[in-house]
C-alpha cells in the first residue's frame, strides 16, 4: 500500500506538470528538463512524455549531451581535469541555431557527440522536424539556465527542475539528506550498469556536488515546475543492493568513512525487496528492471 500510494502521488504530480504545459497553449515551444546527478531525470522524462501524449502533445527529444564541444576544446576545472559540467563545454550557438530552424518548420539533422573519441559531429545525429502537435524537449544539466535559450521569448520555454527533495529527520540532530539519497542511487546504478565500485563513486561525489552547486542549483528559481523525485520507501529497497556494495569498501580506503556512515543510515530502515516496485517507477532507473527502454 505504501508503494502504491507513493508511486500514485508521483504520477499525479507528473500529470499536473503535463496539464500546466498544455494549459499554456501553443505558446510553449520547448520544454527543458534539468536536475543534478541521480535525480531520476531519464525515467521522469519518459513518464512526462506519456502524460503529454495523453494531452495530445507529442514530445520530440534532444539531449544537450550531443552538443558538447570537441574534447580538446573542453574547459578544465581547478584541478586541470575536463569540466564537462561547465556551460562553456556546450556548443550553445549551434544548439540555438538548430532550435530556431526547428521552430521555423525546417527539418534539422541534430548534433552527435562521440564519448569514446571525444569528437563533436555538428550534423551527426538524427534528422528531426516538429509537426503541428509536437513540442521540443531538451534534457541536460543546463536546461534551466536562461542563457541556454536566450534567443527565444521566455513565454515559449517551459523549464522543469527534477530532484529528490524530501529529507527525513530521525531525531533533532540527524536526518537523511537528499544528497545521500542521490549518492546511494548512484552507487547502486553504477555498480549494475557501469561496473563502478561504491568507493569510486564516493570519492567522485565531492566533485559532482561542486559542479551542481556551480552550474545547476543557482538557476532553480527559473523553473516553472519542480518535481520531487523522492520516494518514501526507496531507501528500504536500495538497502538490498547498497549494503553489500558499501561493505566491500576496505577500512584502508579513503572512501571508508563515508561508506561506514551510509551503512549506519541504511541500518535504520527495514528491508523491502523490489518485487512490488512498478516497472515504471523512478527507482527502477537505479535498481534495474525498468519497463522503459533506455
Amino acid at each position: 500500500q505504501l508503494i502504491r500510494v507513493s508511486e500514485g502521488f508521483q504520477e499525479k504530480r507528473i500529470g499536473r506538470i503535463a496539464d500546466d504545459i498544455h494549459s499554456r497553449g501553443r505558446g510553449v515551444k520547448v520544454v527543458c528538463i534539468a536536475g543534478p546527478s541521480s535525480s531520476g531525470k531519464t525515467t521522469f522524462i519518459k513518464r512526462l512524455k506519456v502524460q503529454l501524449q495523453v494531452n495530445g502533445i507529442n514530445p520530440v527529444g534532444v539531449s544537450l549531451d550531443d552538443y558538447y564541444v570537441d574534447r580538446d576544446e573542453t574547459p578544465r576545472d581547478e584541478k586541470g581535469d575536463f569540466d564537462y559540467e561547465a556551460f562553456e563545454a556546450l556548443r550553445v550557438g549551434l544548439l540555438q541555431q538548430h532550435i530556431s530552424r526547428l521552430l521555423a518548420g525546417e527539418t534539422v539533422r541534430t548534433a552527435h557527440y562521440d564519448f569514446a573519441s571525444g569528437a563533436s559531429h555538428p550534423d551527426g545525429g538524427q534528422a528531426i522536424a516538429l509537426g503541428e502537435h509536437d513540442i521540443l524537449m531538451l534534457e541536460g544539466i543546463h536546461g534551466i539556465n536562461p542563457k541556454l535559450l536566450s534567443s527565444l521569448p521566455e513565454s515559449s520555454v517551459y523549464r522543469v527542475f527534477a530532484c529528490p527533495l524530501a529529507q527525513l529527520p530521525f531525531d533533532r540532530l540527524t536526518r537523511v539528506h537528499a544528497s545521500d539519497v542521490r549518492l546511494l542511487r548512484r552507487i547502486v546504478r553504477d555498480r549494475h550498469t557501469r561496473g563502478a565500485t561504491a568507493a569510486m563513486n564516493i570519492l567522485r561525489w565531492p566533485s559532482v556536488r561542486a559542479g551542481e552547486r556551480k552550474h545547476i542549483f543557482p538557476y532553480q528559481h527559473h523553473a516553472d515546475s519542480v518535481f520531487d523525485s523522492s520516494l518514501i520507501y526507496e531507501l528500504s529497497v536500495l538497502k538490498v543492493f547498497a549494503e553489500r556494495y558499501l561493505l566491500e569498501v576496505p577500512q584502508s580506503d579513503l572512501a571508508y568513512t563515508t561508506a561506514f556512515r551510509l551503512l549506519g543510515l541504511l541500518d535504520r530502515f527495514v528491508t523491502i525487496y523490489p518485487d512490488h516496485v512498478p516497472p515504471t517507477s523512478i527507482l527502477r532507473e537505479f535498481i534495474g528492471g525498468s519497463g522503459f527502454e533506455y
Side-chain angles (χ1 to χ4, degrees):
Q1 182 70 5
L2 183 72
I3 291 173
R4 287 193 292 269
V5 172
S6 183
E7 294 289 347
F9 181 83
Q10 277 200 346
E11 191 63 31
K12 191 169 187 176
R13 177 62 183 142
I14 295 171
R16 285 178 172 170
I17 292 174
D19 290 344
D20 190 26
I21 295 170
H22 180 259
S23 70
R24 303 193 183 200
R26 296 189 179 182
V28 175
K29 304 295 184 183
V30 185
V31 175
C32 296
I33 299 166
S37 174
S38 304
S39 292
K41 296 186 296 296
T42 304
T43 302
F44 167 71
I45 289 168
K46 299 280 188 182
R47 288 168 63 175
L48 180 61
K49 284 181 177 180
V50 172
Q51 291 292 343
L52 287 171
Q53 288 168 338
V54 169
N55 285 335
I57 300 171
N58 181 51
V60 178
V62 172
S63 173
L64 293 182
D65 287 355
D66 280 321
Y67 284 83
Y68 279 129
V69 299
D70 288 323
R71 186 166 294 156
D72 57 0
E73 298 178 22
T74 303
R76 295 180 181 268
D77 59 20
E78 297 80 6
K79 298 179 181 178
D81 298 325
F82 289 120
D83 188 359
Y84 292 105
E85 294 174 328
F87 187 76
E88 294 73 22
L90 294 178
R91 304 184 67 162
V92 178
L94 179 65
L95 175 69
Q96 293 179 346
Q97 176 192 337
H98 282 180
I99 291 177
S100 296
R101 290 173 57 197
L102 282 167
L103 297 183
E106 296 183 35
T107 298
V108 175
R109 185 166 289 280
T110 56
H112 174 69
Y113 184 77
D114 187 333
F115 282 89
S117 65
S120 170
H121 303 282
D123 56 357
Q126 61 179 339
I128 62 173
L130 297 179
E132 182 182 356
H133 299 290
D134 293 347
I135 194 168
L136 191 65
M137 185 174 280
L138 283 181
E139 186 267 323
I141 67 168
H142 298 290
I144 56 176
N145 187 331
K147 292 188 294 184
L148 185 71
L149 299 177
S150 57
S151 58
L152 298 181
E154 276 295 303
S155 59
S156 67
V157 182
Y158 189 98
R159 299 181 178 92
V160 184
F161 177 72
C163 183
L165 300 171
Q167 301 193 63
L168 176 66
F170 290 131
D171 50 46
R172 290 162 59 184
L173 293 176
T174 57
R175 66 180 58 224
V176 178
H177 292 276
S179 59
D180 282 339
V181 174
R182 291 195 292 116
L183 176 55
L184 286 165
R185 285 178 172 186
R186 183 180 170 116
I187 286 170
V188 173
R189 180 199 63 196
D190 287 5
R191 177 60 177 273
H192 291 172
T193 62
R194 304 173 188 178
T197 65
M200 290 167 61
N201 261 313
I202 289 170
L203 295 177
R204 170 70 179 151
W205 193 238
S207 175
V208 172
R209 295 277 288 141
E212 295 167 352
R213 286 191 291 268
K214 184 176 181 181
H215 302 299
I216 301 177
F217 292 121
Y219 304 102
Q220 291 177 85
H221 62 285
H222 291 288
D224 296 280
S225 287
V226 175
F227 175 71
D228 181 1
S229 68
S230 306
L231 288 160
I232 193 66
Y233 71 92
E234 70 175 284
L235 285 177
S236 290
V237 177
L238 288 172
K239 177 179 179 177
V240 176
F241 306 94
E243 266 192 337
R244 78 182 83 150
Y245 304 150
L246 292 167
L247 285 168
E248 294 172 351
V249 181
Q251 291 190 28
S252 57
D253 198 293
L254 291 173
Y256 178 76
T257 302
T258 299
F260 184 81
R261 179 179 64 81
L262 292 174
L263 280 168
L265 184 155
L266 290 172
D267 191 52
R268 295 171 179 252
F269 291 85
V270 175
T271 300
I272 297 177
Y273 288 94
D275 308 55
H276 298 291
V277 178
T280 56
S281 173
I282 278 173
L283 191 50
R284 287 288 178 188
E285 185 173 326
F286 306 98
I287 66 173
S290 174
F292 295 112
E293 293 182 5
Y294 293 118

